[in-house]
């Protein structure tokens, strides 16, 4: 990790090499609550969806009012807000686009993430203050195409998930443009933008947000030999599947930083605040620790374990070091349960009594072992003792979602810290 | 009324002359290193011969350079495109902007056809690529007839529409068939079946069979039905659609020949004698039905289907 690829990345202070070009940590934010949590837990930027033109039609998208509030909140932390506007539009989507983009500019968002040249060109014309970032939906995977988009005046490109680290290196060497790449989360097994399985199977347009994840279903594989169908699987074989493991590049963060990648992106606008908080805080630590002292950096076991606490599918590095093999696909399984449940969100803490006020997010009861985490504290675990409701009645358990409860914590906690519970 | 071009995808050099004899006006060909899901493999020599044969009869050849490129092959594009130009191709079909860059560098006068398959979905974007050098856009097969016609009405470039054959639903860079055999412990199977394009995925719930194959560009999954709109050409001809494509991928050369003959008849009649076309179009459709392999039903693709999102 000591080869300096680009001397604008690091400098030497008191004989010690430190990274000066820290990549942006970019997190998903499906809702205003998620936006606030992502930024609070250390994201430098978030991407959100608007009411239209984005690919997650069901990801709790933002109204213009909510966007404004989100942008203001982000600004206080020096964070940025990008809006995914990455559908491939049909003719009927052209009407209304100008107003929509003007609205985004007015809301003060930093940039939009776009695939369709229709939206790129319209944005340049009607909302010129908004940065234009090329979406991964364009499956951008070579440096000459990167050069093309640079010449077209784009501010940043998001690479195809099929791009290897060597390919990224060549792109960075040959073209001077901001590069964003995915580091964590679920992904398409197809080249993005090149899958219309859902159009065929369910009459829902995947390139306008209607994907039904048909690639995660099971199929039987046959061959057709002179008109006769022959099963290519035995009675108790797992069916043909093309479900990929999720992406996880936590151990490759140093390499990504040394390559000079500008933005590291976490997938998952549909994911819970617990997931976002966990993943963002781990990557925040990895990036900061590496940048402060790259020579002595070592990945900590506890960071890896932390990520497991919210992982609902096995994960792998995908294309980062070359085409992934069979072991990076899932056969006969459809994911796993995360090792921990999100049990509660801290609303308040009383120093004098040592009592936390907590919003319940999953069932827990006295005697349960729980873990608290958050940007202000070191993770700690404790056993829950007596629990009271808001009125001071003692409870046998915290049973109701969003119920407000109080109990004693062994160490101080802060608003927006989270409590999770291990699952046996 | 203008006659649209009848464009077909030949399997080999030997198919060119018979296809011309049955009525093809133009050909799409290439090699899988640069082009996607081609009916046949045309190396450089083949390409020269094919172009020679087509040009001798006044027909056109478009070379497919529409793969999604990574750096390695992107670095070869100048050389390949210079060759394609020298071979006398009438146009280059592209999706990846890297091809545009290479054409600007080594063959600036070469006409370009924009074809990304799934993402050519509105007229503005067709015109965008037009302003950057494309003379034609090949529309996504997921558009309805009304959308196709609205694109044509607003397009500054020629518009090509697939009217017959299989379409691609999915492309992954991963070798998914190889991985499945490996998972089953049948590594030999990969070698045995590498060249075979006779595998199907069976979707129980929909009772559909999707052809699936692997090549240098990854794994491709194809539609369960063949589009056939031989009986629905009038509206598009009237609207002035410039080119009708019949895709012969995963079909036999004989099948392609017969289908081309029937579409030739349909287009000619539709332009020259609409009344007669209306009378015989059912018959033409029935003739195609008779040609269909058992596992390949016909349908009208997305032309008359509503898609939501
Ligand atoms: S079906 Fe799978 S590969 Fe296709 S768009 Fe949806 S998630 Fe991606």
């Amino acid at each position: 990790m000591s080869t300096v690829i680009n001397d604008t990345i690091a400098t030497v202070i008191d004989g010690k090499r430190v990274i000066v070009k820290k990549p942006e940590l970019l997190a998903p934010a499906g809702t205003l609550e998620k936006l606030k949590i992502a930024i609070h837990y250390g994201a430098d930027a978030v991407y959100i969806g608007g009411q239209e033109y984005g690919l997650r039609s069901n990801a709790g998208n933002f109204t213009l009012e909510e966007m404004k509030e989100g942008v203001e909140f982000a600004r206080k932390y020096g964070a940025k807000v990008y809006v995914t506007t990455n559908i491939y539009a049909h003719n009927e989507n052209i009407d209304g686009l100008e107003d929509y983009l003007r609205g985004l500019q007015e809301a003060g968002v930093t940039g939009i993430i776009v695939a369709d040249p229709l939206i790129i060109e319209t944005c340049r014309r009607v909302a010129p203050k908004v940065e234009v970032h090329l979406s991964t939906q364009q499956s951008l995977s070579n440096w000459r195409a990167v050069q093309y988009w640079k010449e077209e005046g784009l501010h940043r490109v998001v690479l195809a998930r099929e791009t290897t680290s060597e390919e990224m290196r060549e792109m960075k060497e040959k073209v001077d443009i901001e590069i964003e790449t995915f580091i964590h989360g679920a992904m398409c097994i197809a080249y993005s933008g090149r899958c219309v399985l859902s159009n065929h199977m369910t009459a829902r347009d995947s390139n306008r947000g209607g994907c039904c994840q048909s690639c995660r279903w099971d199929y039987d594989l046959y061959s057709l030999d002179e008109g006769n169908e022959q099963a290519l699987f035995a009675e108790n074989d797992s069916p043909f599947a093309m479900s990929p493991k999720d992406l996880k590049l936590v151990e490759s963060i140093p390499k990504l930083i040394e390559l000079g990648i500008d933005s590291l992106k976490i997938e998952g606008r549909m994911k819970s605040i617990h997931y976002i908080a966990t993943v963002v805080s781990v990557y925040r630590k990895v990036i900061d620790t590496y940048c402060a002292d790259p020579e002595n950096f070592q990945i900590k076991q506890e960071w890896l374990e932390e990520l497991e606490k919210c992982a609902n599918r096995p994960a792998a590095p995908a294309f980062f070091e070359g085409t992934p093999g069979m072991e990076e696909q899932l056969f006969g399984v459809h994911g796993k349960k995360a090792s921990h449940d999100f049990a509660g969100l801290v609303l308040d803490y009383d120093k004098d009594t040592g009592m936390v006020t907590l919003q319940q997010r999953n069932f827990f009861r006295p005697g349960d072992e729980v873990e608290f985490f958050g940007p202000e504290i070191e993770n700690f675990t404790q056993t829950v003792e007596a629990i009271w409701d808001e009125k001071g009645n003692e409870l046998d358990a915290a049973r109701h979602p969003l119920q407000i409860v109080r109990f004693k914590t062994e160490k101080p906690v802060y608003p927006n810290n989270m409590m999770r519970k291990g699952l046996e | 009324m203008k006659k649209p071009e009848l464009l077909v995808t030949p399997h080999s050099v030997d198919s060119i002359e018979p296809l011309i004899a049955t009525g093809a006006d133009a050909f799409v060909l290439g090699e899988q290193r640069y082009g996607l899901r081609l009916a046949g493999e045309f190396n450089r020599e083949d390409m020269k011969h094919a172009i020679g044969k087509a040009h001798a009869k006044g027909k056109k050849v478009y070379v497919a350079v529409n793969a999604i490129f990574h750096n390695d092959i992107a670095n070869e594009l100048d050389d390949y495109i210079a060759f394609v130009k020298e071979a006398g191709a009438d146009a280059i079909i592209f999706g990846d902007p890297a091809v545009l860059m290479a054409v600007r560098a080594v063959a600036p006068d070469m006409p370009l056809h924009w074809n990304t398959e799934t993402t050519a979905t509105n007229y503005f974007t067709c015109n965008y690529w037009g302003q950057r050098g494309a003379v034609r856009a090949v529309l996504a097969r997921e558009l309805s007839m009304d959308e196709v016609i609205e694109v044509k009405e607003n397009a500054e470039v020629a518009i090509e529409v697939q009217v017959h054959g299989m379409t691609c639903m999915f492309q992954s860079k991963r070798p998914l068939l190889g991985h499945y055999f490996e998972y089953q412990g049948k590594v030999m199977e990969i070698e045995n079946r590498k060249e075979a394009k006779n595998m199907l995925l069976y979707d129980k719930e929909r009772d559909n069979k999707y052809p699936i194959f692997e090549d240098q560009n990854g794994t491709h999954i194809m539609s369960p039905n063949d589009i056939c709109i031989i009986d629905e050409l009038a509206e598009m001809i009237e609207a002035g659609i410039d080119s009708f494509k019949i895709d012969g991928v995963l079909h036999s050369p004989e099948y392609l020949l017969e289908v081309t003959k029937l579409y030739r008849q349909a287009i000619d009649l539709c332009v020259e004698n609409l009344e007669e076309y209306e009378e015989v179009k059912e018959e033409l459709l029935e003739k195609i039905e008779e040609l269909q392999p058992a596992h390949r039903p016909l349908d009208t693709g997305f032309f008359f289907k509503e898609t939501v999102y």
Side-chain angles (χ1 to χ4, degrees):
Chain A
M1 253 355 106
S2 54
T3 44
V4 183
I5 288 152
N6 183 337
D7 54 16
T8 59
I9 288 167
T11 187
V12 175
I13 299 174
D14 295 336
K16 192 174 100 177
R17 182 169 179 268
V18 292
I19 304 289
V20 288
K21 187 186 164 187
K22 225 188 228 196
E24 169 185 275
L25 178 58
L26 175 55
T31 62
L32 201 49
E33 185 191 31
K34 293 177 190 175
L35 176 148
K36 291 178 179 172
I37 290 290
I39 293 173
H40 185 72
Y41 276 75
D44 301 306
V46 293
Y47 60 100
I48 65 176
Q51 300 284 330
E52 286 174 88
Y53 300 103
L55 272 189
R56 285 270 180 273
S57 23
N58 46 1
N61 296 317
F62 283 62
T63 62
L64 277 181
E65 278 315 304
E66 288 169 328
M67 271 185 207
K68 279 184 196 153
E69 192 183 334
V71 167
E72 257 162 53
F73 180 88
R75 210 171 265 150
K76 277 189 241 149
Y77 285 79
K80 291 175 178 167
V81 176
Y82 308 125
V83 180
T84 52
T85 316
N86 57 350
I87 65 164
Y88 281 104
H90 286 219
N91 300 332
E92 63 185 13
N93 306 116
I94 295 177
D95 246 9
L97 177 62
E98 294 186 3
D99 284 343
Y100 180 75
L101 294 170
R102 282 193 197 100
L104 298 185
Q105 175 168 278
E106 210 185 290
V109 306
T110 300
I112 56 171
I113 306 170
V114 199
D116 193 330
L118 158 73
I119 303 180
I120 298 176
E121 294 294 294
T122 309
C123 183
R124 300 273 258 319
R125 189 159 47 77
V126 305
K129 283 190 232 149
V130 176
E131 286 179 11
V132 178
H133 298 183
L134 192 76
S135 163
T136 194
Q137 287 301 108
Q138 272 279 357
S139 277
L140 178 58
S141 40
N142 70 76
W143 70 268
R144 293 186 96 173
V146 175
Q147 179 73 38
Y148 171 81
W149 293 111
K150 177 177 167 72
E151 289 177 14
E152 285 289 316
L154 266 64
H155 199 93
R156 178 187 288 188
V157 294
V158 187
L159 301 181
R161 297 157 198 252
E162 287 77 7
T163 316
T164 66
S165 60
E166 269 318 300
E167 288 166 347
M168 291 179 199
R169 180 193 306 274
E170 194 176 351
M171 291 173 186
K172 262 291 168 196
E173 278 167 6
K174 292 195 162 139
V175 192
D176 179 20
I177 189 171
E178 284 187 16
I179 288 187
E180 173 179 312
T181 195
F182 280 93
I183 53 168
H184 198 89
M187 60 188 160
C188 276
I189 193 148
Y191 273 109
S192 294
R194 301 299 182 99
C195 171
V196 287
L197 287 178
S198 295
N199 300 53
H200 283 265
M201 297 181 186
T202 61
R204 291 173 61 94
D205 186 359
S206 51
N207 283 329
R208 285 188 289 173
C211 160
C212 300
Q213 305 221 310
S214 316
C215 65
R216 302 263 179 201
W217 303 345
D218 287 339
Y219 301 90
D220 286 336
L221 183 65
Y222 287 87
S223 70
L224 204 64
D225 296 321
E226 279 151 25
N228 296 318
E229 281 174 24
Q230 279 187 5
L232 293 178
F233 55 94
E235 193 64 36
N236 40 16
D237 274 358
S238 285
F240 178 88
M242 39 191 168
S243 205
K245 289 186 178 173
D246 283 353
L247 175 67
K248 181 169 76 173
L249 289 181
V250 63
E251 288 168 89
S252 305
I253 295 300
K255 191 162 181 180
L256 284 158
I257 293 174
E258 297 293 348
L259 286 171
I261 302 301
D262 300 86
S263 179
L264 306 176
K265 183 176 202 166
I266 298 164
E267 177 277 344
R269 282 192 285 136
M270 310 278 283
K271 294 284 188 353
S272 69
I273 57 171
H274 174 244
Y275 178 93
I276 291 167
T278 305
V279 175
V280 168
S281 54
V282 169
Y283 280 97
R284 178 79 276 153
K285 283 176 198 153
V286 176
I287 294 169
D288 290 350
T289 311
Y290 183 79
C291 289
D293 187 4
E295 299 300 329
N296 296 306
F297 176 83
Q298 266 189 328
I299 198 97
K300 287 191 192 156
Q301 196 55 34
E302 66 188 66
W303 295 335
L304 303 178
E305 283 166 12
E306 190 75 4
L307 284 177
E308 284 305 306
K309 292 173 187 168
C310 68
N312 38 26
R313 228 181 251 135
F319 284 86
F320 195 65
E321 299 296 354
T323 303
M326 175 270 283
E327 66 290 345
E328 295 202 21
Q329 275 177 248
L330 300 169
F331 293 100
V333 278
H334 294 95
K336 62 169 194 160
K337 193 116 175 61
S339 68
H340 286 65
D341 253 351
F342 176 29
L345 179 69
V346 174
L347 300 180
D348 203 2
Y349 173 76
D350 187 331
K351 273 197 223 75
D352 301 330
T353 59
M355 285 276 232
V356 62
T357 305
L358 185 113
Q359 186 186 56
Q360 193 263 35
R361 292 300 178 103
N362 253 308
F363 180 91
F364 67 96
R365 59 153 60 108
D368 281 349
E369 189 171 86
V370 294
E371 179 182 38
F372 284 91
F373 73 102
E376 300 86 355
I377 61 172
E378 290 287 325
N379 288 24
F380 68 92
T381 51
Q382 71 168 66
T383 304
V384 176
E385 288 174 359
I387 308 177
W388 292 275
D389 71 8
E390 276 183 295
K391 297 191 187 101
N393 303 313
E394 192 166 343
L395 301 171
D396 67 329
R399 297 183 177 278
H400 310 295
L402 305 184
Q403 181 181 16
I404 311 291
V405 298
R406 295 201 172 88
F407 60 95
K408 273 205 162 136
T409 58
E410 289 175 5
K411 294 181 184 172
V413 291
Y414 298 83
N416 291 320
N417 284 176
M418 292 186 192
M419 184 180 95
R420 53 163 89 101
K421 192 178 107 172
L423 297 166
E424 290 82 48
Chain B
M1 244 186 304
K2 184 182 78 175
K3 242 184 223 187
E5 166 189 275
L6 181 55
L7 176 63
V8 302
T9 64
H11 293 76
S12 68
V13 177
D14 293 339
S15 316
I16 301 285
E17 281 168 347
L19 282 165
I20 291 172
T22 55
D25 298 317
F27 300 92
V28 175
L29 51 81
E31 57 182 295
Q32 58 169 280
R33 189 170 181 80
Y34 306 102
L36 291 177
R37 298 174 283 277
L38 297 158
E41 186 71 4
F42 288 72
N43 65 25
R44 294 186 181 201
E45 274 314 295
D46 295 336
M47 190 194 300
K48 278 198 226 160
H49 288 140
I51 291 173
K53 289 187 182 212
H55 284 181
K57 297 268 166 57
K59 306 300 175 190
K60 294 195 161 139
V61 173
Y62 311 136
V63 175
V65 192
N66 62 337
I68 297 172
F69 297 106
H70 289 256
N71 290 345
D72 52 351
I73 300 185
N75 289 331
E76 296 172 8
L77 285 174
D78 285 358
D79 178 64
Y80 187 63
I81 285 167
F83 167 78
V84 171
K85 177 188 167 179
E86 198 195 293
D90 297 284
I92 281 178
I93 303 164
F94 82 104
D96 193 318
V99 176
L100 198 65
M101 301 298 273
V103 167
R104 284 175 185 170
V106 301
D109 300 328
M110 174 64 77
L112 285 163
H113 294 179
W114 177 58
N115 181 7
T116 51
E117 300 208 337
T118 53
T119 73
T121 49
N122 67 71
Y123 57 81
F124 185 103
T125 299
C126 295
N127 292 340
Y128 167 93
W129 291 108
Q131 285 147 19
R132 281 150 189 81
V135 296
R136 173 185 295 192
V138 182
L139 299 189
R141 281 80 56 106
E142 291 73 32
L143 300 186
S144 71
M145 181 75 79
D146 291 344
E147 288 176 316
V148 167
I149 286 169
E150 195 183 346
V151 169
K152 175 61 198 171
E153 284 166 359
N154 293 281
E156 293 151 11
V157 289
I159 296 296
E160 176 185 315
V161 174
Q162 182 178 345
V163 292
H164 192 92
M166 210 174 287
T167 67
C168 173
M169 308 195 291
F170 170 101
Q171 182 189 346
S172 172
K173 187 168 165 64
R174 303 188 200 212
L176 300 175
L177 287 167
H179 285 173
Y180 184 54
F181 292 133
E182 206 183 324
Y183 165 74
Q184 290 178 315
K186 296 196 286 198
V187 183
M188 282 308 295
E189 218 43 47
I190 306 175
E191 279 308 306
N192 294 342
R193 300 197 172 268
K194 210 150 72 194
E195 300 302 319
K197 289 194 171 160
N198 65 344
M199 280 177 272
L200 298 167
L201 289 184
Y202 180 58
D203 173 348
K204 284 195 204 87
E205 204 178 315
R206 285 163 203 79
D207 195 23
N208 276 338
K209 289 166 188 154
Y210 313 118
I212 178 169
F213 65 93
E214 244 172 65
D215 65 12
Q216 285 186 31
N217 293 297
T219 309
H220 311 268
I221 303 176
M222 310 298 285
S223 60
N225 305 326
D226 286 323
I227 299 176
C228 175
I229 53 163
I230 195 164
D231 55 335
E232 299 280 359
L233 299 176
E235 208 181 334
M236 285 200 287
I237 290 181
E238 206 171 302
I241 299 295
D242 304 271
S243 177
F244 285 165
K245 178 156 75 196
I246 299 173
D247 202 325
V249 68
L250 303 190
H251 277 294
S252 69
E254 299 72 36
Y255 173 90
L256 180 63
L257 208 57
E258 288 305 310
V259 170
T260 304
K261 195 189 286 173
L262 292 167
Y263 272 89
R264 179 77 275 159
Q265 223 179 315
I267 293 169
D268 289 349
L269 269 184
C270 189
V271 172
E272 287 152 16
N273 189 343
L274 188 58
E275 249 165 64
E276 203 183 326
Y277 170 71
E278 295 295 342
E279 265 166 44
V280 303
K281 65 185 193 181
E282 289 301 323
E283 219 173 285
L284 294 173
L285 178 61
E286 278 161 27
K287 284 191 181 153
I288 292 195
E289 254 155 19
E290 282 163 28
L291 296 172
Q292 285 305 111
H295 67 290
R296 297 293 305 167
L298 293 174
D299 74 3
T300 54
F302 288 88
F303 285 108
F304 307 105
K305 190 152 97 184
E306 212 192 330
T307 308
V308 296
Y309 57 96

